[in-house]
Amino acid sequence: MKIICIGRNYADHATELNDGAALPKEPLFFLKPDTALLRNNDPFYIPRFSERVDYECELVVKINRVGKCIDRRFAHRYYDEVGLGIDFTARDLQRKAIAEGLPWEASKCFDHSAALSPEFVPLLEVGAIDNLHFDLRVNGQVRQQGNTAEMLFSVDEIISHVSQYMTLKIGDLIYTGTPCGVGPVAVGDNLVATLEGHELLNFDIR
Ligand code: ZN
């Protein structure tokens, strides 16, 4: 099982990063290992190696068929349920890596950096993949709101693109990018994420 993460997939978030990079012309992706998963709404422990860990709330698509070189027209056949996740990012380490042209793994792929909702919701229940609303509240305050209609690259475009390079397998997860509003977590914070009225994530930062 692999975790595929899409970077800069919402223009307003790409802008807030303010690192001078242009909007991507094709989906930008990277992988997290399975050891990054944080399941069951377990608490997230801030790692010692970072002074600033940001939350990034994202729609997560679960692949349900094996496929490679998938045509965009057929990409919708490869998933039928969605969940939510948090792509935790050690922003200080990531900025340093970007500045030095080095890989992102230390900042993005550490243990428990991929919180995953225990529950996935059938698309038949929540609606069309390209018009799903989700939000993240931190300590009861809305910090992020996204709609998949605002993605630079749709889920089907992502699946088609990534599958040109690597075979998608059953159970693979795609974190589809975060809207604007990312920010740091602090010990004692409570994170709640909702997808079309379904509360899927609710866990604490320690
Ligand atoms: Zn992300």
Side-chain angles (χ1 to χ4, degrees):
M1 188 279 269
K2 55 189 172 294
I3 303 168
I4 298 156
C5 299
I6 308 300
R8 304 176 195 274
N9 201 26
Y10 289 82
D12 53 6
H13 168 63
T15 307
E16 79 178 344
L17 285 175
N18 196 25
D19 58 4
L23 289 180
K25 294 197 170 57
E26 53 186 27
L28 159 68
F29 67 95
F30 57 94
L31 300 182
K32 295 195 189 220
D34 56 2
T35 43
L37 281 178
L38 176 66
R39 297 177 182 275
N40 303 317
N41 278 318
D42 287 343
F44 174 82
Y45 288 84
I46 297 176
R48 290 181 181 183
F49 50 73
S50 176
E51 300 295 315
R52 176 172 171 144
V53 175
D54 280 2
Y55 55 78
E56 294 187 356
C57 184
E58 314 197 358
L59 182 88
V60 181
V61 175
K62 189 184 287 180
I63 296 297
N64 65 2
R65 288 175 63 175
V66 176
K68 65 183 297 183
C69 298
I70 300 164
D71 192 283
R72 186 181 160 185
R73 286 173 298 162
F74 304 122
H76 67 273
R77 299 179 180 172
Y78 290 80
Y79 59 90
D80 58 10
E81 53 181 12
V82 289
L84 290 176
I86 306 289
D87 166 20
F88 283 110
T89 303
R91 195 69 71 198
D92 48 353
L93 302 190
Q94 188 199 28
R95 287 194 186 285
K96 189 163 179 283
I98 289 172
E100 296 174 5
L102 296 172
W104 291 10
E105 271 78 356
S107 66
K108 282 283 196 182
C109 307
F110 56 87
D111 285 355
H112 302 155
S113 60
L116 183 67
S117 58
E119 187 192 344
F120 271 63
V121 191
L123 272 171
L124 284 173
E125 207 177 298
V126 283
I129 190 72
D130 56 0
N131 186 22
L132 295 175
H133 181 85
F134 60 98
D135 59 47
L136 172 71
R137 278 167 286 154
V138 180
N139 304 327
Q141 289 192 322
V142 177
R143 295 282 182 82
Q144 290 192 279
Q145 295 192 72
N147 189 297
T148 53
E150 299 157 2
M151 288 179 170
L152 294 175
F153 301 101
S154 70
V155 169
D156 290 354
E157 287 173 301
I158 290 166
I159 286 173
S160 176
H161 180 78
V162 174
S163 70
Q164 308 303 312
Y165 299 90
M166 53 185 72
T167 301
L168 299 182
K169 296 177 74 175
I170 294 170
D172 285 354
L173 300 168
I174 304 179
Y175 284 58
T176 57
T178 197
C180 71
V182 302
V185 291
V187 173
D189 283 348
N190 170 251
L191 271 55
V192 174
T194 304
L195 171 66
E196 293 289 344
H198 299 260
E199 184 182 294
L200 298 185
L201 286 170
N202 185 343
F203 66 101
D204 296 326
I205 306 296
R206 291 187 187 159

